[in-house]
Amino acid sequence: MAGEQRMVYWAFGLSFIIHLAFFGVFLAAQKHKPNRISNTTVVNVSLVATPHKAGRSSTPVKKTVTTPKKKTSKKKETLKKTVKVASKPAKKAPVVSTSGKPKVSLKKKTFKASKVKKNALKDIEKKVEKTSSERITSALDSLKAKVEEQEDVKRLEKEESAAQPSAATGSEGAGQGGRVGELIDIYRVEIAYQIQKNWAFAEGLAGSAKDLEALLVFKVMPNGEISELFWDKRSGNEYLDKSAYRAIMKANPVAPHPTGIIRPYVLMALRFTPEGVK
Amino acid sequence: MFQCFRDYYVFNVIKFMQKLKFIIIFLAMVCLNLGLAPNHAVGAEEYEYIDISNPFLRKIPTAIPRFKNISGNMKGRDLSVDLANSVSKTLEFTGYFEMLDRGAFLADPHDPKIVATEINFRNWTVVGSELLVTGGVAAKEEYMELELRMFDTFQGKLIIGKRYKGRISNQRQMIHRFCGEVMYHLTGNRGVFNSQIAFISVSNGNKEIFISEFDGYKPHQFTNNNAITLFPAWSSDAQWMAYTSYVNGKPDLYIRNIKGKSGAVVSKKGIQITPAWVPGKFELAATLSFSGDQEIYLLTGQGKVIKRLTKSRGIDVEPTWSPDGKKMAFVSKRSGTPQIYIKDVASGRVRRLTYEGRYNTQPNWSPKGDKIAFSTMQIGRIDIFTIGVDGKDLRRLTEDQGDNEAPCWSPDGSLITFSSSREGISKIYVMTAFGTDQRRLISLPGPQTNPKWSPNITSN
């Protein structure tokens, strides 16, 4: 009896140690998550990298960079304001010219050591203020340009995604609005025409079967290469199916994506029907 | 102590299990969202299709480079070019193939490759060729050995490969056999390469029957009656020819064996015209007028009347049989103007087929059984049309090119021969069943009319 109880203790003890180790690993793994999130911010840095002119300084630049995407527009406004404010002192900054200055004795200025120190410090402060404001201004200018550029890209992407909700669906099209959506539709029609020009089909070889249709789907990569071609539906007539397949393969590669379509591929779906052969 | 520890242990286990449950649910949701089953996702897609319904080319782009001279002698060299041209011309005749210009080929014309392992198919797909026919010929004295292959260029696959041996004078037969194989692969029938065309041409001032090969090659005179001879009709085994001739001063019906002189004559009172053989039988229908009215009768191959097929006021002429021999189309004036009717032989029921136009004649039932070609007169011009046997799908095949008459289907139903006065006097022409590729077939002096296409002749 006592032996059994001892066995239970041992089992529970061993189990406890194993679980403790498991929970420990589990919690440690959870603690790593924040680090991953911080990594993503690092990725953002590269998107709005400070320009070369801005130098290494600029603490405010870092702040702008790490701001979440949603607040970008607000930040943009504040940035503009900052630029205006910062540009004023830059304009007002006196241009020190030594050439036309009358010679003055340094005796008064160097007579007292404390006064000399004070003046030197003032000069340094002025210089620092001037250089830092110039750097910040130029950094902010370039940042402004970058942010605007990014805004444009985001807007384009938004338009694209509005017109083409999923790259895989291919359900976008005319009527869904957006310049990119229109571009894609025009591009698709162009590709379909290119393929039609390569379609050779003798109706007599298809036999007497009527209402034939072969449905083919494929992707057009940015360089115009056709990939992942497959039959969504075969017509049941081997000749028509083959002729449709050959038409696409003969047209490959088709025209590359036009500028304005920024996406990994454009999905094409074609329905071949020989009803036009009359 | 033990109780407390056990409770704590159980509590932790339950807590962990709850956590585990959430983790499993979370992972499942992630899997679903990421679409780890792409096949299902693709299957569920609905694509926005762009319709392509008008082929740019209605033929198969085909490349036939000059053949390889396997024997290496002068005879072989000449044949390698001639035979390649012959295969090209024969396939082109069908209307299914577009032969690509040899000048555009990327392959070395002086070193033709004939087997798949040597051929760079990319060279052929780039120039747009979908089919490639290669050949090699070895000639010695009067004999030759010809090997022919057809490839699918996109699949890089051999479709047909044949080797023929024989006399050089038999090269046409070799080519026809190979082209028959090509057509069989593509359509399921062997095409028209073993068929002939009978037609009426003038010889010594009289209309006589002539026969040529399917492409108009070697026309020769079949009848020598020194009298008007009309309406040739092939039996379904291509062994017999029926026709009308004025040898005895009136239009009698002659039934003659193609190879010999044996046969029969139907010489009753009145006229005997427009014979048409019943498919698969040694029987024929013809218009006879011994009863006073022009009616269609069914006759034996020996010319004996089996039964009367039509009975109506007004003429009934020009019978043509459905491929199964169960129905007969003919021209009747029973409604006032010549129109085409269809009679079901078993039930005797007759229905009118054509309603458009006031003069529809010369019906010819397609070997596929679905259409009837006929000629119609409109505003003084005669043109050829086809119509479905249900009376639908009326299509004009000729237009604005003189008078076009007497259409007759090829044995595979892909072509139609007809006579046309587009060049002045009437000549024999051929076109596809859709009215495309109209070209002259026979070059003989004088007018030619009334062409009749034979079935494929197996003994050839």
Side-chain angles (χ1 to χ4, degrees):
Chain A
M1 192 66 186
E4 278 178 13
Q5 209 168 355
R6 200 178 295 156
M7 281 292 283
V8 170
Y9 284 141
W10 273 111
F12 272 108
L14 193 67
S15 172
F16 175 74
I17 289 160
I18 290 165
H19 278 84
L20 202 67
F22 175 78
F23 285 128
V25 170
F26 187 72
L27 287 171
Q30 278 186 329
K31 276 180 184 176
H32 278 288
K33 279 182 182 177
N35 288 340
R36 281 180 199 160
I37 292 160
S38 68
N39 281 340
T40 54
T41 56
V42 173
V43 174
N44 281 341
V45 169
S46 68
L47 290 172
V48 199
T50 47
H52 187 69
K53 281 181 185 175
R56 287 175 198 169
S57 62
S58 61
T59 336
V61 171
K62 248 188 181 176
K63 277 181 184 173
T64 322
V65 165
T66 48
T67 33
K69 283 179 186 177
K70 283 179 185 175
K71 290 179 181 176
T72 323
S73 57
K74 277 187 180 179
K75 276 283 163 190
K76 192 180 157 190
E77 285 169 18
T78 51
L79 276 172
K80 277 181 183 172
K81 282 176 188 174
T82 328
V83 168
K84 280 177 186 172
V85 173
S87 63
K88 278 178 185 174
K91 279 179 185 172
K92 284 179 180 178
V95 181
V96 183
S97 166
T98 50
S99 59
K101 224 175 178 185
K103 285 181 181 177
V104 180
S105 170
L106 291 169
K107 201 178 176 181
K108 280 184 181 178
K109 287 184 180 177
T110 54
F111 184 69
K112 283 183 179 177
S114 60
K115 208 175 182 180
V116 170
K117 276 181 188 174
K118 212 177 180 181
N119 286 338
L121 277 170
K122 268 185 183 177
D123 284 347
I124 289 164
E125 272 174 8
K126 270 182 187 175
K127 276 182 185 174
V128 166
E129 196 182 329
K130 188 187 166 189
T131 49
S132 65
S133 68
E134 274 175 359
R135 279 180 183 175
I136 288 164
T137 310
S138 60
L140 287 174
D141 279 344
S142 57
L143 261 177
K144 184 187 159 192
K146 276 274 176 189
V147 168
E148 276 176 359
E149 198 179 297
Q150 276 208 333
E151 286 285 313
D152 283 346
V153 171
K154 276 177 190 171
R155 188 164 45 78
L156 275 173
E157 281 173 355
K158 268 186 184 177
E159 280 177 4
E160 266 192 68
S161 60
Q164 190 166 335
S166 159
T169 59
S171 56
E172 75 283 14
Q176 293 200 21
R179 196 167 61 84
V180 177
E182 277 174 23
L183 264 178
I184 289 173
D185 281 348
I186 291 165
Y187 178 64
R188 281 179 169 159
V189 171
E190 190 190 324
I191 300 304
Y193 180 63
Q194 270 185 269
I195 288 164
Q196 191 210 334
K197 278 200 298 181
N198 282 286
W199 187 28
F201 180 78
E203 194 191 19
L205 293 179
S208 55
K210 288 177 182 173
D211 303 324
L212 296 173
E213 63 170 28
L215 309 182
L216 286 117
V217 179
F218 56 91
K219 289 176 180 175
V220 181
M221 310 315 278
N223 64 353
E225 198 72 34
I226 287 170
S227 72
E228 295 180 38
L229 169 63
F230 68 92
W231 272 284
D232 193 29
K233 185 190 151 197
R234 287 178 190 259
S235 67
N237 183 288
E238 199 186 346
Y239 174 61
L240 173 63
D241 290 344
K242 273 189 178 177
S243 75
Y245 176 84
R246 282 171 182 158
I248 294 168
M249 292 314 292
K250 272 160 80 177
N252 186 27
V254 293
H257 291 191
T259 47
I261 297 179
I262 307 156
R263 54 180 45 254
Y265 61 84
V266 168
L267 199 72
M268 288 285 297
L270 298 176
R271 180 189 288 112
F272 288 82
T273 51
E275 64 188 18
V277 188
K278 297 277 177 181
Chain B
M1 177 68 187
F2 174 71
Q3 185 71 26
C4 180
F5 177 71
R6 196 182 62 183
D7 287 346
Y8 177 71
Y9 173 78
V10 169
F11 171 75
N12 264 346
V13 165
I14 290 165
K15 209 176 169 184
F16 173 69
M17 288 302 284
Q18 279 176 344
K19 266 193 178 178
L20 197 69
K21 195 171 83 181
F22 283 120
I23 289 165
I24 289 165
I25 291 166
F26 174 73
L27 283 173
M29 284 174 75
V30 167
C31 286
L32 280 171
N33 282 333
L34 289 175
L36 289 181
N39 287 337
H40 294 291
V42 168
E45 298 294 354
E46 281 189 13
Y47 301 102
E48 192 177 297
Y49 284 97
I50 297 174
D51 283 308
I52 297 185
S53 58
N54 211 1
F56 192 75
L57 182 65
R58 287 158 195 190
K59 295 177 180 184
I60 306 174
T62 306
I64 306 183
R66 60 178 282 186
F67 292 167
K68 188 173 188 170
N69 178 11
I70 295 170
S71 55
N73 53 22
M74 289 291 282
K75 201 170 264 182
R77 195 192 66 180
D78 294 341
L79 279 169
S80 66
V81 178
D82 293 346
L83 290 168
N85 290 341
S86 291
V87 173
S88 179
K89 209 174 163 185
T90 308
L91 287 177
E92 210 170 13
F93 179 83
T94 62
Y96 290 131
F97 303 90
E98 174 82 15
M99 293 302 161
L100 300 179
D101 183 5
R102 282 188 195 142
F105 294 172
L106 300 177
D108 182 4
H110 302 294
D111 183 24
K113 308 291 186 192
I114 60 172
V115 292
T117 49
E118 295 173 347
I119 297 166
N120 179 3
F121 288 103
R122 181 75 184 149
N123 278 346
W124 300 104
T125 54
V126 162
V127 296
S129 167
E130 294 185 5
L131 293 176
L132 169 70
V133 176
T134 65
V137 59
K140 195 178 178 185
E141 295 170 358
E142 290 176 8
Y143 295 90
M144 62 179 253
E145 196 172 315
L146 174 66
E147 48 179 282
L148 295 165
R149 292 177 177 83
M150 186 172 80
F151 297 95
D152 181 324
T153 54
F154 279 88
Q155 293 183 325
K157 202 174 81 179
L158 178 74
I159 300 171
I160 300 163
K162 294 282 173 186
R163 181 179 285 127
Y164 304 95
K165 286 181 188 175
R167 288 178 177 275
I168 291 173
S169 58
N170 289 334
Q171 57 181 274
R172 261 180 76 86
Q173 283 93 319
M174 294 180 197
I175 289 167
H176 290 171
R177 282 194 184 178
F178 176 75
C179 292
E181 294 289 341
V182 171
M183 291 309 295
Y184 185 74
H185 171 78
L186 294 171
T187 66
N189 65 62
R190 295 191 184 275
V192 297
F193 308 113
N194 292 321
S195 64
Q196 296 181 331
I197 293 172
F199 57 96
I200 304 298
S201 189
V202 175
S203 171
N204 297 326
N206 289 308
K207 287 184 173 178
E208 299 280 2
I209 294 173
F210 283 67
I211 294 174
S212 75
E213 292 193 18
F214 71 96
D215 52 357
Y217 182 73
K218 265 192 183 172
H220 63 277
Q221 195 170 334
F222 176 67
T223 61
N224 202 358
N225 295 328
N226 291 319
I228 298 169
T229 304
L230 302 165
F231 308 121
W234 295 90
S235 65
S236 58
D237 59 359
Q239 297 298 308
W240 295 85
M241 177 81 79
Y243 56 89
T244 299
S245 183
Y246 284 76
V247 175
N248 295 323
K250 70 180 188 67
D252 291 333
L253 187 68
Y254 290 80
I255 301 165
R256 188 180 137 185
N257 188 281
I258 293 287
K259 289 177 181 168
K261 292 280 179 186
S262 63
V265 182
V266 181
S267 182
K268 294 181 184 295
K269 185 186 158 190
I271 62 169
Q272 283 81 205
I273 57 168
T274 63
W277 292 87
V278 182
K281 289 184 179 176
F282 192 51
E283 292 175 359
L284 68 163
T287 300
L288 312 177
S289 64
F290 62 89
S291 65
D293 193 15
Q294 290 180 23
E295 297 291 349
I296 296 170
Y297 291 82
L298 186 65
L299 310 172
T300 66
Q302 287 82 28
K304 290 180 181 173
V305 174
I306 300 171
K307 65 177 178 181
R308 185 170 166 171
L309 291 173
T310 59
K311 191 175 182 180
S312 72
R313 290 174 66 188
I315 62 165
D316 294 311
V317 292
E318 296 176 342
T320 179
W321 292 92
S322 64
D324 59 5
K326 291 178 179 172
K327 289 176 182 161
M328 180 187 77
F330 61 98
V331 175
S332 178
K333 254 183 114 174
R334 62 189 65 187
S335 59
T337 58
Q339 297 294 344
I340 296 165
Y341 293 79
I342 291 177
K343 179 187 174 84
D344 186 293
V345 175
S347 67
R349 202 177 61 204
V350 176
R351 68 180 166 90
R352 184 171 164 178
L353 182 70
T354 55
Y355 287 91
E356 286 189 35
R358 292 177 54 79
Y359 194 91
N360 297 312
T361 60
Q362 300 177 318
N364 190 263
W365 209 306
S366 81
K368 291 177 183 173
D370 57 340
K371 289 177 186 172
I372 289 174
F374 64 98
S375 62
T376 185
M377 189 191 283
Q378 287 178 346
I379 324 165
R381 281 282 180 204
I382 302 169
D383 274 307
I384 293 166
F385 286 72
T386 57
I387 191 169
V389 292
D390 54 0
K392 294 173 185 170
D393 198 19
L394 181 72
R395 289 189 196 185
R396 176 191 277 270
L397 302 187
T398 61
E399 193 169 15
D400 297 333
Q401 293 188 84
D403 288 329
N404 302 283
E405 299 178 71
C408 181
W409 295 88
S410 64
D412 66 344
S414 66
L415 300 166
I416 294 173
T417 181
F418 61 102
S419 62
S420 176
S421 63
R422 63 188 63 185
E423 290 175 88
I425 57 172
S426 180
K427 297 285 180 187
I428 305 299
Y429 289 78
V430 71
M431 62 182 166
T432 68
F434 304 101
T436 59
D437 298 295
Q438 297 185 10
R439 68 269 193 197
R440 190 165 151 186
L441 198 63
I442 291 156
S443 295
L444 278 177
Q448 287 91 46
T449 57
N450 207 221
K452 287 287 181 215
W453 215 312
S454 81
N456 273 320
I457 298 161
T458 49
S459 60
N460 197 2

